[in-house]
Amino acid sequence: MPHRQAPAGRMSTVLGRKLGGELHRLRDTSGLSQPQAAAALTATQTKIAKIERGVSPVREPDLHTLCDLYGVARNSPLRNRFLALAHADRQRRRASGWWKEYSALGDLVEYIQLEDGASTIRTYQNHLVPGLLQTAQYARAVASADDVWQDADEVEHFVQARLARQARLTRENPLQLHAVVCEAALRQQVGGRTTMRFQLQRLVEASAMPNVTLQVLPFSAGAHASMTGPFVIVGFDEPTSLDVVYVETAGTTLWLESEEDAERHRGLFDNVCRSALSPDESRTLISDLTEEM
């Protein structure tokens, strides 16, 4: 779970930073300064700086002007990707959803907001059941074991937010979830045998949902491509070049926003899927583990 931080005023967004970073690189490659880019927009240098940091959203006319200035051809895949990014970022900034009541969760809220607007989640987890598939008891045991949350009320707030996220799997136009979970996560008795038995039953039920693909990476798979740790690829209806990667550590969260990072993690995920059991074989293994609890 991420380190909490105090809510800030006007902050950058993940998609805004992704677009701003690409525009920054294009400007540098073109040999242009921020004042020159600002002049093309009849704007201030501060506006360009905020766009490049992901603080300010980019209006479509301004984006076209910058693309013209940087030599990005009309109707090219790159310009279309920028337009899709800018549109998705503006939509996310305007969104006002259920997560607002969980602002005390700090930087986790940014992930929740992005997940709520995503169309696909691909995740590899080596020690935990994915949050979208956790039972309340399992989530409570995980949160209670972490020193981020200081008291029972904070733990319960976290658990309720986790359960609220799961509505994305069952509402209209549900989230498409593809999860690969290590066998170790299924054998670790988080919360005790009873909690794990109900958790495993939940996984069996979820694996039958048409929008959920669940694979288990068995111990017998040996060395594999994703042994460095878990990650989540958040995808949108727009092209895959909008994918962003979320990595969580004990002390903080990390967003990997470049297309190179996204492409690398898509490759890692494809590789670990090939090492894992098929969905049917995975369901059988989880069912067998349930009977052992």
Side-chain angles (χ1 to χ4, degrees):
M1 283 169 287
H3 175 71
R4 292 173 297 169
Q5 54 190 28
R10 193 175 188 188
M11 298 178 66
S12 64
T13 66
V14 173
L15 296 179
R17 291 194 304 269
K18 185 177 175 74
L19 175 59
E22 297 205 37
L23 291 174
H24 187 179
R25 285 190 290 273
L26 272 179
R27 180 176 58 76
D28 280 347
T29 300
S30 302
L32 297 170
S33 65
Q34 284 188 345
Q36 288 172 308
L41 295 184
T42 317
T44 64
Q45 180 180 344
T46 299
K47 178 175 180 176
I48 296 297
K50 287 183 176 180
I51 287 174
E52 292 182 350
R53 293 201 310 271
V55 173
S56 293
V58 188
R59 296 168 48 248
E60 190 168 308
D62 289 345
L63 185 55
H64 279 300
T65 299
L66 292 175
C67 284
D68 290 340
L69 182 65
Y70 302 153
V72 181
R74 294 261 174 178
N75 296 318
S76 67
L78 182 58
R79 187 179 293 218
N80 289 338
R81 178 156 64 91
F82 287 168
L83 290 169
L85 261 175
H87 173 74
D89 181 45
R90 291 193 302 270
Q91 291 294 103
R92 286 293 84 209
R93 291 176 193 265
R94 285 197 292 264
S96 179
W98 59 267
W99 56 82
K100 298 293 185 181
E101 65 184 278
Y102 294 101
S103 59
L105 297 181
D107 52 3
L108 182 59
V109 174
E110 183 174 30
Y111 175 81
I112 293 174
Q113 182 186 19
L114 207 63
E115 180 186 77
D116 193 73
S119 57
T120 64
I121 294 289
R122 285 165 285 178
T123 182
Y124 162 70
Q125 297 293 328
N126 54 359
H127 294 305
L128 288 171
V129 169
L132 286 168
L133 300 177
Q134 291 179 8
T135 65
Q137 294 87 346
Y138 182 98
R140 191 172 292 113
V142 170
S144 297
D146 195 295
D147 61 6
V148 168
W149 314 110
Q150 302 300 315
D151 57 42
D153 287 341
E154 288 188 346
V155 168
E156 198 60 30
H157 199 59
F158 170 83
V159 171
Q160 292 308 311
R162 177 142 293 184
L163 296 179
R165 286 169 51 198
Q166 297 176 6
R168 280 291 281 112
L169 293 174
T170 54
R171 72 188 191 197
E172 188 177 0
N173 297 318
L175 185 69
Q176 300 295 313
L177 173 65
H178 189 166
V180 178
V181 184
C182 283
E183 183 176 346
L186 306 180
R187 292 186 178 274
Q188 186 79 20
Q189 291 189 18
V190 174
R193 297 179 70 88
T194 300
T195 293
M196 278 308 300
R197 183 170 61 253
F198 284 117
Q199 177 60 74
L200 293 172
Q201 289 172 349
R202 165 62 179 150
L203 291 179
V204 172
E205 294 167 0
S207 69
M209 297 171 66
N211 56 311
V212 175
T213 301
L214 179 60
Q215 293 181 259
V216 176
L217 185 70
F219 289 141
S220 59
H224 58 88
S226 297
M227 296 187 75
T228 52
F231 59 87
V232 181
I233 304 171
V234 184
F236 299 85
D237 286 331
E238 291 83 358
T240 58
S241 54
L242 268 69
D243 289 349
V244 288
V245 180
Y246 177 80
V247 179
E248 191 174 298
T249 69
T252 188
T253 58
L254 178 65
W255 287 101
L256 304 178
E257 297 155 13
S258 73
E259 176 55 18
E260 291 77 12
D261 284 325
E263 181 62 30
R264 170 167 171 72
H265 283 80
R266 286 194 291 266
L268 286 174
F269 188 75
D270 289 343
N271 285 336
V272 79
C273 285
R274 288 192 289 270
S275 298
L277 299 175
S278 71
D280 286 343
E281 292 169 333
S282 298
R283 187 179 301 111
T284 298
L285 175 59
I286 298 171
S287 297
D288 291 343
L289 290 174
T290 304
E291 294 179 3
E292 295 177 13
M293 290 295 170

